Amino acid sequence: MAKIKPSKGHPYARIMGVGGYRPTRVVPNEVILEKIDSSDEWIRSRSGIATRHWASPEETVTAMSVEAAGKAVADAGITPEQIGAVIVSTVSHFKQTPAVATEIADKVGAGKPAAFDISAGCAGFGYGLTLAKGMIVEGSAEYVLVIGVERLSDLTDLEDRATAFLFGDGAGAVIVGPSDEPHIGPTVWGSEGDKAETIKQTVPWNEFQVGDVSKLPLNEAGEIKFPAITQEGQAVFRWAVFEMAKVAQQALDAAGISADDLDVFIPHQANMRIIDSMVKTLKLPEHVTVARDIETTGNTSAASIPLAMERLLATGKAKSGDTALIIGFGAGLVFAATVVTLP
C-alpha cells in the first residue's frame, strides 16, 4: 500500500487583517414606523436599535464584499495574489450557482483560489473562520479571505411588527494567515435542528415562483409578499440568553482562559438585551470591552461579528493583540464560538 505524503501546513493560524463596508444609506426607526404600529421607544427598548444601513441597488452582495475584502487585504499587509481561498458566508445572495465567492475572488484580484459559499446564518463568520484555520494548519492555503455579507433588507417584511426593525446590510472581512503561536482557539460549534422553525424564510423560492395566492402571504394591497425572514422572537430570545452563554463559556474553557483574561467580547449583534444578558451570565469584568454595534447597524447576520470587530479597532475601543471572545448564533439553529487575538 502506497504511503500518502503528509501535508505541509503551519502549526497555527491567526487573523491578520479586518475590513468592513456599511451601505451609505442610514435608516432611522422613523422610516420603519411608516409601515408598522410601533414607536421609536419600543424598538429601542426591545432591540437596542436606533438606525441601520440599507443597501442601494448598486451595493450588491458582491460590491460590498469586494470593498470589505480590499480593506482586510491592505490591513493584513499582503497582496490579493497571495490569497489561496475565499470563503463567503451569506443567506442573501439569490443566485443558486455559481457561488458568489468565485465572483468576489476574481474582482478582488485573488487569481485562482479555492472559492465557495456557506449558509450558516448568524454563525456563518465563525464557521468560515474555523474552516480557514483548518486550511492553513493543513497546508491547503497560505492566506484565506473570510467574508460575512448580507443584504437582509431584501428579505425583510416591512409589515411584520416583530422583525421589520431588526435587519441591516453590510459586509465584514478578515484575512486569516499562518502563525507560530495559537491566536485562534478551539471552536465550540453545533446545531439544534429541532428548533429550525424558530427562524426561517417565510416561503421556499419554488412556492413563491408558482405564485399560488391561496398558499402565500399577501400584503395589505392583496399582493403576494416576497419571501422574508421570520422568527419566533421569545423562543429565540430564551435560547440565545440561556444556551449561548453556556457555549461562550465552553469556548473560554477550550481556550484555557477565564473571563478575567478577556479584553473584548464580540457577540453576534442580534439584540442588545441578549448581549447584556450574556455579559451578566458570563460575569465579564468591567474592563472587558463589549461590542454593541447593533445600535447603529442592526442585525446583519453573518456580517455582524467582523463589522463589530472592525469598528472597535477603528475607534480605538479595542487594540491589536487584545484577546477577544466571539460567538455567533442564529437560524438553524446554529452556533459557533471561539477565542481570538485581534489583528
Side-chain angles (χ1 to χ4, degrees), residues 45-57:
S45 64
R46 297 287 292 182
S47 67
I49 300 172
T51 61
R52 73 284 292 146
H53 295 257
W54 282 357
S56 67

PDB file of all heavy atoms in Angstrom, residues 45-57:
ATOM      1  N   SER A  45     -36.164  49.853  23.127  1.00  0.00           N
ATOM      2  CA  SER A  45     -36.214  49.084  24.367  1.00  0.00           C
ATOM      3  C   SER A  45     -36.199  47.583  24.104  1.00  0.00           C
ATOM      4  O   SER A  45     -35.653  46.812  24.904  1.00  0.00           O
ATOM      5  CB  SER A  45     -37.465  49.458  25.175  1.00  0.00           C
ATOM      6  OG  SER A  45     -38.649  49.096  24.479  1.00  0.00           O
ATOM      7  N   ARG A  46     -36.773  47.149  22.994  1.00  0.00           N
ATOM      8  CA  ARG A  46     -36.835  45.721  22.667  1.00  0.00           C
ATOM      9  C   ARG A  46     -35.558  45.201  22.029  1.00  0.00           C
ATOM     10  O   ARG A  46     -35.205  44.034  22.191  1.00  0.00           O
ATOM     11  CB  ARG A  46     -38.007  45.461  21.710  1.00  0.00           C
ATOM     12  CG  ARG A  46     -39.358  45.767  22.273  1.00  0.00           C
ATOM     13  CD  ARG A  46     -39.828  44.772  23.297  1.00  0.00           C
ATOM     14  NE  ARG A  46     -40.099  43.467  22.697  1.00  0.00           N
ATOM     15  CZ  ARG A  46     -40.572  42.427  23.376  1.00  0.00           C
ATOM     16  NH1 ARG A  46     -40.804  42.553  24.674  1.00  0.00           N
ATOM     17  NH2 ARG A  46     -40.798  41.284  22.780  1.00  0.00           N
ATOM     18  N   SER A  47     -34.867  46.075  21.279  1.00  0.00           N
ATOM     19  CA  SER A  47     -33.720  45.589  20.492  1.00  0.00           C
ATOM     20  C   SER A  47     -32.433  46.374  20.700  1.00  0.00           C
ATOM     21  O   SER A  47     -31.350  45.850  20.448  1.00  0.00           O
ATOM     22  CB  SER A  47     -34.072  45.620  19.006  1.00  0.00           C
ATOM     23  OG  SER A  47     -34.215  46.962  18.563  1.00  0.00           O
ATOM     24  N   GLY A  48     -32.555  47.632  21.107  1.00  0.00           N
ATOM     25  CA  GLY A  48     -31.380  48.489  21.209  1.00  0.00           C
ATOM     26  C   GLY A  48     -31.029  49.176  19.911  1.00  0.00           C
ATOM     27  O   GLY A  48     -30.024  49.895  19.820  1.00  0.00           O
ATOM     28  N   ILE A  49     -31.847  49.005  18.872  1.00  0.00           N
ATOM     29  CA  ILE A  49     -31.537  49.538  17.544  1.00  0.00           C
ATOM     30  C   ILE A  49     -32.119  50.939  17.370  1.00  0.00           C
ATOM     31  O   ILE A  49     -33.301  51.171  17.619  1.00  0.00           O
ATOM     32  CB  ILE A  49     -32.083  48.609  16.438  1.00  0.00           C
ATOM     33  CG1 ILE A  49     -31.461  47.217  16.546  1.00  0.00           C
ATOM     34  CG2 ILE A  49     -31.822  49.207  15.055  1.00  0.00           C
ATOM     35  CD1 ILE A  49     -32.083  46.190  15.616  1.00  0.00           C
ATOM     36  N   ALA A  50     -31.269  51.861  16.925  1.00  0.00           N
ATOM     37  CA  ALA A  50     -31.708  53.223  16.606  1.00  0.00           C
ATOM     38  C   ALA A  50     -31.704  53.458  15.105  1.00  0.00           C
ATOM     39  O   ALA A  50     -32.597  54.104  14.551  1.00  0.00           O
ATOM     40  CB  ALA A  50     -30.811  54.243  17.294  1.00  0.00           C
ATOM     41  N   THR A  51     -30.673  52.939  14.425  1.00  0.00           N
ATOM     42  CA  THR A  51     -30.556  53.068  12.974  1.00  0.00           C
ATOM     43  C   THR A  51     -29.959  51.791  12.406  1.00  0.00           C
ATOM     44  O   THR A  51     -29.403  50.959  13.133  1.00  0.00           O
ATOM     45  CB  THR A  51     -29.646  54.251  12.569  1.00  0.00           C
ATOM     46  OG1 THR A  51     -28.331  54.030  13.101  1.00  0.00           O
ATOM     47  CG2 THR A  51     -30.192  55.568  13.090  1.00  0.00           C
ATOM     48  N   ARG A  52     -30.073  51.654  11.099  1.00  0.00           N
ATOM     49  CA  ARG A  52     -29.424  50.553  10.388  1.00  0.00           C
ATOM     50  C   ARG A  52     -29.069  51.043   8.992  1.00  0.00           C
ATOM     51  O   ARG A  52     -29.554  52.097   8.544  1.00  0.00           O
ATOM     52  CB  ARG A  52     -30.310  49.296  10.321  1.00  0.00           C
ATOM     53  CG  ARG A  52     -31.494  49.332   9.384  1.00  0.00           C
ATOM     54  CD  ARG A  52     -32.665  50.141   9.873  1.00  0.00           C
ATOM     55  NE  ARG A  52     -33.315  49.549  11.018  1.00  0.00           N
ATOM     56  CZ  ARG A  52     -33.865  50.230  12.000  1.00  0.00           C
ATOM     57  NH1 ARG A  52     -33.852  51.567  11.973  1.00  0.00           N
ATOM     58  NH2 ARG A  52     -34.467  49.648  13.006  1.00  0.00           N
ATOM     59  N   HIS A  53     -28.209  50.304   8.301  1.00  0.00           N
ATOM     60  CA  HIS A  53     -27.809  50.661   6.936  1.00  0.00           C
ATOM     61  C   HIS A  53     -28.532  49.741   5.944  1.00  0.00           C
ATOM     62  O   HIS A  53     -28.552  48.519   6.130  1.00  0.00           O
ATOM     63  CB  HIS A  53     -26.298  50.497   6.753  1.00  0.00           C
ATOM     64  CG  HIS A  53     -25.484  51.439   7.587  1.00  0.00           C
ATOM     65  ND1 HIS A  53     -24.881  52.569   7.069  1.00  0.00           N
ATOM     66  CD2 HIS A  53     -25.166  51.426   8.901  1.00  0.00           C
ATOM     67  CE1 HIS A  53     -24.229  53.201   8.025  1.00  0.00           C
ATOM     68  NE2 HIS A  53     -24.375  52.523   9.153  1.00  0.00           N
ATOM     69  N   TRP A  54     -29.110  50.341   4.911  1.00  0.00           N
ATOM     70  CA  TRP A  54     -29.733  49.566   3.837  1.00  0.00           C
ATOM     71  C   TRP A  54     -29.013  49.847   2.521  1.00  0.00           C
ATOM     72  O   TRP A  54     -28.693  50.995   2.191  1.00  0.00           O
ATOM     73  CB  TRP A  54     -31.212  49.926   3.687  1.00  0.00           C
ATOM     74  CG  TRP A  54     -32.078  49.288   4.726  1.00  0.00           C
ATOM     75  CD1 TRP A  54     -31.704  48.413   5.707  1.00  0.00           C
ATOM     76  CD2 TRP A  54     -33.485  49.497   4.891  1.00  0.00           C
ATOM     77  NE1 TRP A  54     -32.777  48.073   6.484  1.00  0.00           N
ATOM     78  CE2 TRP A  54     -33.889  48.708   6.004  1.00  0.00           C
ATOM     79  CE3 TRP A  54     -34.432  50.269   4.235  1.00  0.00           C
ATOM     80  CZ2 TRP A  54     -35.201  48.667   6.458  1.00  0.00           C
ATOM     81  CZ3 TRP A  54     -35.752  50.240   4.675  1.00  0.00           C
ATOM     82  CH2 TRP A  54     -36.137  49.446   5.771  1.00  0.00           C
ATOM     83  N   ALA A  55     -28.773  48.792   1.776  1.00  0.00           N
ATOM     84  CA  ALA A  55     -28.004  48.894   0.535  1.00  0.00           C
ATOM     85  C   ALA A  55     -28.837  49.451  -0.612  1.00  0.00           C
ATOM     86  O   ALA A  55     -30.034  49.190  -0.729  1.00  0.00           O
ATOM     87  CB  ALA A  55     -27.453  47.524   0.166  1.00  0.00           C
ATOM     88  N   SER A  56     -28.169  50.193  -1.475  1.00  0.00           N
ATOM     89  CA  SER A  56     -28.764  50.664  -2.723  1.00  0.00           C
ATOM     90  C   SER A  56     -28.659  49.537  -3.753  1.00  0.00           C
ATOM     91  O   SER A  56     -27.965  48.540  -3.520  1.00  0.00           O
ATOM     92  CB  SER A  56     -28.004  51.894  -3.222  1.00  0.00           C
ATOM     93  OG  SER A  56     -26.683  51.521  -3.612  1.00  0.00           O
ATOM     94  N   PRO A  57     -29.319  49.672  -4.897  1.00  0.00           N
ATOM     95  CA  PRO A  57     -29.190  48.635  -5.930  1.00  0.00           C
ATOM     96  C   PRO A  57     -27.748  48.372  -6.342  1.00  0.00           C
ATOM     97  O   PRO A  57     -27.391  47.250  -6.695  1.00  0.00           O
ATOM     98  CB  PRO A  57     -30.008  49.207  -7.094  1.00  0.00           C
ATOM     99  CG  PRO A  57     -31.036  50.072  -6.440  1.00  0.00           C
ATOM    100  CD  PRO A  57     -30.332  50.689  -5.268  1.00  0.00           C
TER     101      PRO A  57
END
